[in-house]
Structure formats: C-alpha cells, structure tokens
Amino acid sequence: MRTLDHDEFLAMRRFPALDGLRAIAATIVILFHFAGPKWSWLSGWVGVYIFFVLSGFLITTLLLREQDRTGRISLSAFYLRRVFRILPPYLVILGGIVVFVWLRGEFFTREFPHALKYYLTFFNEFFPGSSPDGPDNFFSGSWTLGIEEKFYLFWPFLLVVAGAVGLAAAWRKLALAFAAFALMAGLIGVTGGWVLAGPQVPIYRSTVHYAILLIGCVLAIAMHYRRSYAVIKPLTHPLAAIPVFGAFALLHVNMETLWRGAHTNLGLLIAYGLVSALLLVVLVSPGPLRWLLATKVMRFVGERSYSLYLLQGPVHFAVVEAIPPLGQHRMISALTVFAVGLGIADLIHRWVEQPMILTGKKLIARRQERKALRAAEAELKAPSAVEAPSGAR
C-alpha cells in the first residue's frame, strides 16, 4: 500500500494492464455496434477515445525514453516500427475484404475502387460513406486509423524539433504539447467542429480527436520528468484507484445521456479524455485494478484488440450472411461477432502481426549496426586531432 516511485515507473518496460484496457475498449465498441439499444448505457462508442488517449501516452513515453537512452529520437526507426506494426494486419484485413467482395461480384456495386483511394492513403475518415451507420460500409471502423496515422506523422516530428531547439525540460515539452493542443482547438473552431452533435460536422471528421490524443501525450510528458511526476504521484497509491475509477465509470455510463442533452459536446469529450488519462495513472500503478486488467485473459484479448477492432464490420457482415437472424442487433449477435473476430484476430496476431513486428525490429537493428560501423570506420580514417611536436622523442 504505497505510491509508485518515479524510478520504478521509468524502469517499467511494459504496462500489462493497458492491454486489458484495450480489451475492454474493443469489447464495448463491438457491443455498441451490435448488441442493440438495451446496452446503450455502456456508451461503447467512446471506446475509441480510450484508444486515442492510450496511443498518445504510449507513443510519447517510448519516444522520451528513447531520447534519454540514446540522446536522440530516431524518426526513421519510429516510422519503421509503426509501418511494421500497423500496416501488415491492416492490409491483410483490407485485402480479405476486397477478395470477399470481388468473389461476390460486388466490388464495383459497393464502390470499392473509390473507397480504396481513402483506405490506402489513410484518409479513411473522409470517405463519404464512413459513418458507422452508412450503407454497405463494413470497414467504417477504420476511420480511427486515419486519425492516428496522421498523428504519428505530426507528433514525433514536433518532439524532435523540441529536442533540436533545446526544449529539454519537462515544462517546455508540456508547453509544446499545450501549444499543439491549442492549435487543434483552433482548427476545431475554424472548421465548425465546436458543435459536434449537429449535422454540420460528423464526429468522425472532427479535429477534436487530435486533442484527445494530445491529452495522452501531456500525461506521458508529465510522468516522464521527476518534478512533474511528483504532482501525479499521489494518484499512484492503490487507494487512489477508488475515486479515479469511480469518476471514470460514472462519466462513462452517462456519456450517452450527456451527449444527447449537450448543446456542444467538445467539453464532454475533453473531460472524458482527461478522466481516461487519470485512469491510465491508476493502471500503471500497483493495486487490484492493475492486477485485474493484467490477467492472462485480458492481455490475450488486448494484444489482439487492433485486429479485432478492424474485423468487427466485415465479420458481422459474414456472420449475418451465414446466419441471417443474427442481423438483428442483440447480445447474441455481438457475442458471435466478438468470438469469430477474436479467433481470426488471433490467427493474424500469430501469423502476421508478431512476425512482421519482429522483422521490423531486425531491420532497425541492422540499420543501426551499419550506421555504427560507418561511424567507427570514419573515426579510424580521420586524421589525429593532435600531432606530435617536431623533435619529440
């Protein structure tokens, strides 16, 4: 029953409870889409915002730790890791959808040639049919990948620039994150995204999602540096999990009601992102909640949650084609989609995701070895900086 020291936090190489949180997020999204209105109290649609906060936190934590370990952030290594982590499962699932639709003779009737222009360039959220309720669009969930991929291009580059101009202190990096946050907020206002409930700006196209991602970034920066960590440290006590989880659960189950009753939902989403960030602090700290979400079952689902999330639409379509009564949205439909999707996601995880991640790591290691070898050779070939004085013995 004690708080988590800063050195202990920095020594952690994995946060297993966050895999469990991924599992919960993916599961409630599936329940929201296919379990029917009786389960609307689960507010499953906000599961994607848990993913956004998680992404911002984990990506920033990895980059800051790399900077401490090596003295710099390698953008090429980061992008290679992202390519080998994100693209293989995504392209396998998208390719499977294309083959399935082609064999059914519906490739052109479902406008897939047009859709692929968005799917292959990660502008998924701008595809005209990307509303989750849109007709014939069972890859609609991929709109979140469009958001995250653009964030992966934007944020690491900012951190590298911050390091280049000497923004090493925590408060300076926090200032950078808040400046990016303000920029995103400005874009929301300019594009009319302040009123997210109205028909003018569909929620999946709003720039508010980048602000939610940046909440995770701010948390990672604050926890990485000792002084700012001291402010957060009281929340790492096991007893702090009670009010934090209580606040998160209370807001989460009421999101559907609050969303419908609000004149503007920007503040509601920001509040949800902030409470989710506090939940992350609890989950990386010792306590029963971390233990529960780090169990083997939760981690199993969480490690496959990326593919499971992408598969939900096509799996539901295939399941309904095979068993038409499951087309009615109810719990048995959602559980069937979950079970079938998890089975396929497990195969993708074993045969595609893990091997490609390992391939990416090997490629990065070889690049680093070649770079170190070239540096050593250049040092050997360089003339000595100090020459012996004439006549020296």
Side-chain angles (χ1 to χ4, degrees):
M1 296 291 287
R2 64 177 181 84
T3 55
L4 181 71
D5 290 337
H6 186 239
D7 291 335
E8 290 177 301
F9 169 73
L10 293 181
M12 296 174 70
R13 290 292 170 258
R14 277 189 61 83
F15 307 111
L18 299 189
D19 285 329
L21 186 59
R22 283 194 188 96
I24 291 174
T27 301
I28 62 174
V29 169
I30 292 174
L31 292 177
F32 166 69
H33 284 147
F34 308 117
K38 289 183 180 180
W39 296 88
S40 62
W41 60 272
L42 275 176
S43 304
W45 59 276
V46 294
V48 295
Y49 298 102
I50 297 176
F51 282 125
F52 285 152
V53 176
L54 267 170
S55 291
F57 173 75
L58 291 173
I59 290 301
T60 306
T61 296
L62 291 173
L63 290 172
L64 292 176
R65 290 185 177 186
E66 178 188 355
Q67 188 175 51
D68 281 355
R69 188 174 64 254
T70 66
R72 60 187 291 270
I73 293 172
S74 172
L75 284 178
S76 61
F78 172 80
Y79 292 135
L80 279 172
R81 284 194 298 269
R82 289 295 89 196
V83 164
F84 281 90
R85 168 70 176 90
I86 298 296
L87 283 185
Y90 178 83
L91 292 176
V92 165
I93 293 170
L94 179 59
I97 293 173
V98 169
V99 171
F100 178 75
V101 173
W102 181 274
L103 292 176
R104 289 173 57 87
E106 298 176 349
F107 183 76
F108 294 100
T109 58
R110 289 183 180 272
E111 298 185 347
F112 257 88
H114 179 60
L116 285 175
K117 291 187 294 185
Y118 294 89
Y119 292 152
L120 293 176
T121 57
F122 286 101
F123 281 92
N124 312 51
E125 72 272 31
F126 295 106
F127 177 51
S130 59
S131 167
D133 299 321
D136 296 335
N137 186 22
F138 40 74
F139 203 44
S140 60
S142 66
W143 69 267
T144 59
L145 268 295
I147 299 290
E148 292 205 22
E149 287 303 287
K150 286 184 276 294
F151 168 75
Y152 292 149
L153 290 174
F154 163 77
W155 178 245
F157 177 75
L158 271 187
L159 284 181
V160 170
V161 171
V165 298
L167 297 183
W171 69 268
R172 290 171 180 167
K173 283 196 171 68
L174 285 170
L176 174 70
F178 281 116
F181 183 93
L183 175 62
M184 290 298 103
L187 289 174
I188 295 167
V190 169
T191 59
W194 292 106
V195 185
L196 295 174
Q200 300 90 346
V201 180
I203 181 63
Y204 49 87
R205 293 185 190 173
S206 172
T207 47
V208 70
H209 306 108
Y210 297 100
I212 303 296
L213 281 156
L214 284 166
I215 289 174
C217 300
V218 170
L219 175 65
I221 294 170
M223 295 190 72
H224 185 75
Y225 293 96
R226 191 173 299 275
R227 288 187 178 180
S228 48
Y229 183 86
V231 178
I232 298 172
K233 188 176 180 179
L235 293 175
T236 66
H237 193 281
L239 292 179
I242 298 173
V244 171
F245 179 73
F248 173 82
L250 183 64
L251 178 60
H252 181 88
V253 298
N254 287 286
M255 281 292 287
E256 187 76 13
T257 302
L258 293 171
W259 182 269
R260 292 176 180 175
H263 294 292
T264 175
N265 292 307
L266 178 64
L268 182 61
L269 290 179
I270 297 298
Y272 187 82
L274 291 171
V275 176
S276 298
L278 296 181
L279 183 64
L280 296 194
V281 178
V282 169
L283 293 180
V284 302
S285 309
L289 197 58
R290 185 176 81 172
W291 173 85
L292 178 64
L293 268 67
T295 54
K296 287 184 178 180
V297 173
M298 298 298 289
R299 291 178 62 186
F300 180 90
V301 178
E303 289 169 354
R304 292 149 181 80
S305 59
Y306 171 49
S307 295
L308 176 61
Y309 173 80
L310 290 177
L311 283 164
Q312 59 177 312
V315 165
H316 177 258
F317 181 85
V319 164
V320 172
E321 286 292 299
I323 312 174
L326 293 180
Q328 181 182 356
H329 287 186
R330 46 190 177 144
M331 181 53 72
I332 186 62
S333 303
L335 292 177
T336 303
V337 170
F338 177 85
V340 175
L342 184 60
I344 300 173
D346 181 54
L347 297 178
I348 293 175
H349 179 72
R350 295 172 187 271
W351 296 349
V352 178
E353 196 169 350
Q354 286 187 319
M356 293 307 295
I357 289 174
L358 182 60
T359 299
K361 288 180 178 179
K362 290 180 178 178
L363 177 60
I364 292 170
R366 285 198 296 268
R367 285 168 55 89
Q368 291 173 342
E369 289 173 1
R370 286 197 296 267
K371 186 176 181 180
L373 182 60
R374 286 196 298 267
E377 290 175 348
E379 186 175 349
L380 290 173
K381 293 177 180 178
S384 175
V386 179
E387 294 182 359
S390 62
R393 297 289 186 266

